[in-house]
Amino acid sequence: MHKSRLAGFIIDCQTDDLAAAASFWGSALGMRLHALPPEEAATYVQLVDPADRLHIEVQAVSHPSRVHLDIETDDIEAEVRRLEALGARRVRQVKSWWVLEAPTGQRFCVVSCKSSGLAADATQWP
Amino acid sequence: MHKSRLAGFIIDCQTDDLAAAASFWGSALGMRLHALPPEEAATYVQLVDPADRLHIEVQAVSHPSRVHLDIETDDIEAEVRRLEALGARRVRQVKSWWVLEAPTGQRFCVVSCKSSGLAADATQWP
């Protein structure tokens, strides 16, 4: 058995100016910016939801801008198989996570637990 | 003065089979489906977040599939002007809401308050 739930979303921005993109989205959403460790800071800026609802990051990307969802889980392989059975397909593995594509075409990621909420609010799958 | 905050997101699906799209996303995210009133049900299905974090809907659309964010506010015109000053541009008005485009290219919507959380968690803008 494993668990999963919606972790949050990533605002993918096709830009060479991550700071400007993060500044816009932080101001638009009323969220402060949180700098990440050096190995992540060139690509990601975290936005802190004042209501502590979701994990949100702005990411600099080379593909066209979009928003993608992240599903967090305590067992990535089991969760990816569950999603494949629903009709999703694997696109590629990146470091510890998998990029999947939904039957309706959106790409999303399956990542390791990022929040303490997994225990309380996640769905437990058989 | 007015208030705004992130309300949630809409999973836009380019499909003629809204039920199948909603079924996939509900199962993927571990969220039950909530049928909307008849005037909305042909286009939207609500997904109920068990942690009650966000307002989430699956929408049948004719444009390519994507995910878009909704910002809720108690004053749509004031909020759109605030976002324009940050660099967003108006795309079109749809019923009571506005579709905007971010400087980084993502489209998002400014909508009237959907949640009781606006009072507690929203940012109050001068």
Side-chain angles (χ1 to χ4, degrees), chain A residues 13-91:
Chain A
C13 299
Q14 188 179 38
T15 182
D16 295 324
D17 191 345
L18 174 61
S23 175
F24 169 80
W25 283 106
S27 298
L29 299 175
M31 297 181 182
R32 70 176 173 83
L33 311 186
H34 174 69
L36 292 168
E39 65 273 18
E40 298 177 62
T43 309
Y44 300 95
V45 174
Q46 186 178 348
L47 302 186
V48 180
D49 183 352
D52 196 24
R53 295 170 294 178
L54 288 189
H55 188 89
I56 304 172
E57 291 178 1
V58 175
Q59 179 179 204
V61 298
S62 54
H63 59 68
S65 292
R66 60 189 179 214
V67 174
H68 81 254
L69 304 180
D70 274 0
I71 293 174
E72 63 182 349
T73 180
D74 55 2
D75 185 334
I76 288 183
E77 184 58 27
E79 179 65 1
V80 170
R81 286 185 190 162
R82 185 183 75 83
L83 292 160
E84 285 182 306
L86 294 174
R89 71 174 185 87
R90 294 181 200 238
V91 175

Side-chain angles (χ1 to χ4, degrees), chain A residues 5-6 9 11-13 24-25 27-28 30 53-54 65-67 69 82-83 86 102-104 106 123 125, chain B residues 5-6 9 11-13 24-25 27-28 30 53-54 65-67 69 71 82-83 86 102-104 106 123 125:
Chain A
R5 72 167 198 163
L6 172 70
F9 56 82
I11 303 173
D12 294 325
C13 299
F24 169 80
W25 283 106
S27 298
R53 295 170 294 178
L54 288 189
S65 292
R66 60 189 179 214
V67 174
L69 304 180
R82 185 183 75 83
L83 292 160
L86 294 174
T104 45
Q106 299 92 344
T123 303
W125 306 104
Chain B
R5 71 167 199 165
L6 172 70
F9 57 82
I11 304 173
D12 294 326
C13 298
F24 170 79
W25 283 106
S27 298
R53 295 171 292 179
L54 288 189
S65 292
R66 59 189 179 216
V67 174
L69 304 180
I71 293 175
R82 186 184 74 84
L83 293 159
L86 294 174
T104 46
Q106 299 91 344
T123 303
W125 305 104

